[in-house]
Amino acid sequence: MPYLTESDAIRNAIDHFSHFPILWLDTEVADYDSKTPRLSLIQILADSTDLTGERVTILDVLDRPDLTDYFITKIMLVDRIEKVFHNASYDCKFLGGKGQVKKITCTLELAKQVPYYIAPLPNYQLKTLAECLCHFPPIDKTEQGGNWGKRPLTVAQLEYAQKDPVYTAQIHHRLLQLSHLITPDPAGENLKRLTNRYWEIYQQWKILDTEMEHLKERLKSAMIEQEAAEINGFSVSYQNRTSKKVKLAELAKVVYLSGQDSQISLSLTNDLLKELGDLAQGLTIEENRQKISQLTIKQSEADLR
């Protein structure tokens, strides 16, 4: 596990890794819970067969923006290099910004696309994915909240830092395998198996859905009453909506008196047609037809018992 602290060695390592088509990356950040977090380490793995972290290179870039900028220029902004992170949006904040970096793959986002029945995960944390999808032994994340702004780093910190790119690489490969199960060829789908699975979970989903809606309504009412703008990921916002109506006769009069050959078209809703009644018979109505596909579900309550 190369741990590089000298500027020349770090630049040479960046040049070396700039020739690889794909890199699995991670960062450690000092003062992450403050208003001024500082990038501390960049961990790089180019060989995904490494299961121990021996081939992970750690770049110490604490308070060295010139080295960080060099990494951004040579790696992050290069479109031919795929950069794989877990929770990439966080790391990219320190490595060039989301709108600037090129060819980023995020294992967190990939994991969210896997349906629960394919991979029943309790959450999408790196630790969980590594243990559940890749069968790594229980992972100790104690050092995640360590002091990454203090030097020298401890042996435990360096051992921790070298492992995350390994986990990310293995999770990435496993998620790519699972992606074939997520988007199979529709022509070869087993329709009976799909419908059977749907009805297996339908009843449970309906029960949970009613509870979810009930909880959201209670929570909204309670937050409004207690004047709690935000709590535990929930927030209440307010919007003032204004709708405008005009009588059709008045609109027609204005158009007529303007003397203009108006081409204004109105969408005739069922309610408007009902109000027009027989008057609609004298109108030249254009119809726009669209073919819309819809899945119809027919199942009696008795079948669900």
Side-chain angles (χ1 to χ4, degrees):
M1 174 198 66
Y3 169 50
L4 306 181
T5 60
E6 298 296 329
S7 295
D8 289 343
I10 290 175
R11 289 179 183 273
N12 290 336
I14 294 172
D15 290 337
H16 170 72
F17 286 116
S18 69
H19 297 291
F20 285 84
I22 182 170
L23 299 171
W24 293 271
L25 303 165
D26 189 39
T27 62
E28 302 303 334
V29 177
D31 308 321
Y32 66 92
D33 55 352
S34 71
K35 293 182 179 180
T36 55
R38 297 176 293 153
L39 182 62
S40 178
L41 302 179
I42 302 173
Q43 302 102 281
I44 311 171
L45 177 64
D47 181 0
S48 62
T49 64
D50 176 17
L51 298 179
T52 64
E54 292 180 359
R55 300 186 187 95
V56 171
T57 298
I58 301 177
L59 311 182
D60 195 326
V61 295
L62 181 66
D63 298 329
R64 300 158 91 177
D66 58 319
L67 295 178
T68 301
D69 290 343
Y70 193 70
F71 181 85
I72 292 170
T73 301
K74 299 286 288 187
I75 304 290
M76 299 301 294
L77 302 184
V78 179
D79 193 50
R80 62 176 174 78
I81 306 173
E82 181 179 6
K83 282 77 66 176
V84 185
F85 294 89
H86 186 75
N87 194 10
S89 61
Y90 178 80
D91 299 277
C92 288
K93 288 192 298 184
F94 305 98
L95 294 173
K98 186 177 179 180
Q100 302 297 320
V101 296
K102 308 292 185 183
K103 205 169 183 178
I104 302 297
T105 297
C106 179
T107 52
L108 173 62
E109 296 304 321
L110 290 178
K112 290 179 179 179
Q113 297 172 20
V114 180
Y116 184 80
Y117 74 94
I118 291 179
L121 301 167
N123 58 63
Y124 300 112
Q125 296 174 1
L126 185 72
K127 168 183 167 67
T128 301
L129 298 181
E131 293 174 357
C132 296
L133 294 183
C134 306
H135 308 295
F136 280 97
I139 297 168
D140 184 1
K141 300 290 284 186
T142 304
E143 293 297 337
Q144 185 175 34
N147 186 354
W148 294 100
K150 183 181 178 180
R151 295 295 184 271
L153 295 171
T154 66
V155 173
Q157 284 179 302
L158 291 174
E159 290 179 349
Y160 169 84
Q162 77 176 137
K163 293 295 181 61
D164 277 0
V166 172
Y167 301 143
T168 300
Q170 297 309 309
I171 291 167
H172 181 219
H173 288 315
R174 182 59 182 145
L175 290 173
L176 291 179
Q177 292 173 346
L178 292 176
S179 68
H180 297 294
L181 300 176
I182 301 171
T183 55
D185 180 8
E189 287 275 34
N190 186 322
L191 296 177
K192 185 174 182 180
R193 185 171 63 186
L194 287 176
T195 54
N196 285 343
R197 178 56 183 166
Y198 179 90
W199 293 119
E200 282 178 16
I201 64 175
Y202 174 80
Q203 190 71 358
Q204 183 180 6
W205 169 76
K206 290 295 291 182
I207 294 172
L208 290 176
D209 188 55
T210 56
E211 182 177 354
M212 292 287 286
E213 292 302 316
H214 178 67
L215 286 173
K216 287 192 290 186
E217 285 300 317
R218 286 179 58 187
L219 185 58
K220 184 174 72 171
S221 298
M223 290 179 69
I224 293 173
E225 184 67 24
Q226 299 176 30
E227 299 182 350
E230 183 176 352
I231 182 171
N232 201 21
F234 291 88
S235 61
V236 177
S237 59
Y238 301 89
Q239 289 182 331
N240 294 320
R241 295 185 178 181
T242 302
S243 61
K244 296 182 180 181
K245 296 182 179 181
V246 63
K247 292 184 178 179
L248 187 59
E250 185 177 351
L251 176 61
K253 180 179 179 181
V254 169
V255 174
Y256 174 76
L257 293 177
S258 70
Q260 299 179 13
D261 184 16
S262 176
Q263 297 299 314
I264 297 175
S265 296
L266 298 177
S267 296
L268 295 177
T269 63
N270 290 333
D271 289 339
L272 183 54
L273 284 171
K274 185 176 180 180
E275 287 199 28
L276 287 172
D278 294 338
L279 294 176
Q281 302 299 321
L283 299 175
T284 302
I285 300 176
E286 296 180 4
E287 290 189 358
N288 293 320
R289 296 180 178 271
Q290 292 180 313
K291 185 177 181 180
I292 302 174
S293 60
Q294 181 177 351
L295 178 66
T296 302
I297 302 172
K298 294 182 179 179
Q299 187 86 338
S300 67
E301 289 296 322
D303 293 332
L304 299 175
R305 292 178 183 175

